[in-house]
Amino acid sequence: MDEPRISTPIHVPRPAGPWQGVHENLTRLGNAVVHTTWGEWLPAALAAPGLRRLLGRDWTRYRRIPDATVRYRFLAARLLMKYTAAAALRVEPETLDLAYRLGGRPYLRGFDQIDLSLTHTGDLMAVGLSRHGRIGVDAEPADRRMRFDLLQAQMCTPTEAAELAPLPEGEQTAQTLRLWTLKEAYTKALGQGMRLGFTEFGFGLQSGRLLAPDGSPASRGEWAFATHPALGRRYLLSVACHDTGLDAADDTSVRTMLDPGFLAAMADHQP
């Protein structure tokens, strides 16, 4: 099958947008990735009218977080997920119900065709959406020093180690960091997190393709991976995207994407 294409991450500096590219990417490529900073979003998030309705089931959790910094970052991240999904589906963010699977992975209740992933580090936060299959996003500061000699046994397959070992130190460090973010993104897409050992799968240093530990292909083209610089190259943002191979509707309106059973239940409970 054709390898899925990953959209270029879009910087959205405030809840007001610009959002047009998110809907376009979801419609054209089946996925969309948005990134921003806590500082850009917090003022607008705190001043948002109807904040309780916007947060929905997360309101109580938000109010009970004792540390102000943690509480405000929780708020900004939840609003980023809702606004991103709302822009993609062209609905109002307060109409979406954000829920969590076992392990804490967020999802949109009632939207079985939409997969959602969140990452945050430093002052960056990013969200990925897909309507073709699973998606995972991960980010790290671009200047984080990840020493290959210290991490080799914990994160590298024999094939990766053989490719990394002869590289000059600077390139070796950069490629090790890139591999780390790709592996984090992939395990997040699978819903495994750190439970899946990083030495159990690998990536081609040049091709970026998913490989088995012995270097043989581990995908028939249903997975795609990409790494992009973000926020003026201060961060590396990696995306893992899976295509189920099932026909996805070109129409990304909320009525098309909403699970029919959930839609019927909503209709039954309307006065």
Side-chain angles (χ1 to χ4, degrees):
M1 65 182 296
D2 292 336
E3 186 176 285
R5 292 181 295 162
I6 296 179
S7 61
T8 301
I10 298 172
H11 180 207
V12 180
R14 59 190 66 85
W19 289 108
Q20 181 60 28
V22 176
H23 178 79
E24 291 175 354
N25 284 344
L26 190 72
T27 301
R28 183 169 56 90
L29 300 175
N31 59 79
V33 181
V34 164
H35 66 88
T36 189
T37 67
W38 307 106
E40 289 174 312
W41 268 62
L42 267 178
L46 290 170
L51 185 58
R52 182 169 186 167
R53 188 180 176 204
L54 262 174
L55 281 178
R57 66 178 65 216
D58 278 325
W59 172 255
T60 301
R61 183 178 172 187
Y62 162 69
R63 297 281 292 173
R64 288 178 177 174
I65 298 174
D67 184 274
T69 299
V70 176
R71 183 167 66 251
Y72 294 151
R73 291 192 169 193
F74 175 86
L75 168 65
R78 268 60 198 170
L79 262 57
L80 177 63
M81 286 190 283
K82 281 203 169 184
Y83 272 87
T84 301
L89 297 167
R90 290 188 169 174
V91 297
E92 294 301 317
E94 59 266 23
T95 64
L96 297 175
D97 187 7
L98 193 63
Y100 304 90
R101 306 188 192 280
L102 291 176
R105 182 180 176 88
Y107 71 97
L108 295 172
R109 187 165 174 261
F111 289 84
D112 292 341
Q113 293 186 54
I114 300 293
D115 197 46
L116 180 67
S117 182
L118 169 72
T119 188
H120 49 81
T121 182
D123 63 344
L124 176 138
M125 53 180 178
V127 169
L129 289 174
S130 174
R131 65 184 180 91
H132 286 165
R134 304 301 295 269
I135 190 169
V137 293
D138 185 70
E140 291 288 347
D143 61 357
R144 180 181 177 185
R145 293 197 53 82
M146 303 195 75
R147 289 181 52 182
F148 165 69
D149 57 335
L150 298 179
L151 293 169
Q152 175 182 350
Q154 288 77 34
M155 67 166 286
C156 292
T157 65
T159 302
E160 289 172 327
E163 287 190 288
L164 286 167
L167 296 179
E169 183 179 356
E171 185 179 356
Q172 187 183 77
T173 299
Q175 290 291 351
T176 301
L177 179 62
R178 173 174 164 263
L179 282 177
W180 181 273
T181 61
L182 285 170
K183 293 194 176 202
E184 285 272 19
Y186 177 59
T187 56
K188 285 180 180 180
L190 293 175
Q192 294 295 311
M194 296 295 286
R195 293 186 298 275
L196 179 61
F198 280 7
T199 59
E200 296 179 30
F201 63 95
F203 291 95
L205 219 57
Q206 301 301 322
S207 68
R209 297 288 182 87
L210 184 65
L211 304 176
D214 63 1
S216 60
S219 168
R220 296 180 179 177
E222 68 272 21
W223 282 97
F225 305 89
T227 302
H228 298 274
L231 299 179
R233 298 187 175 274
R234 290 192 292 123
Y235 293 91
L236 285 184
L237 175 57
S238 284
V239 185
C241 206
H242 179 256
D243 189 340
T244 61
L246 301 175
D247 289 336
D250 291 332
D251 180 6
T252 55
S253 66
V254 65
R255 182 165 290 273
T256 302
M257 294 291 104
L258 189 60
D259 176 71
F262 189 73
L263 180 63
M266 289 176 63
D268 289 343
H269 284 84
Q270 287 180 350

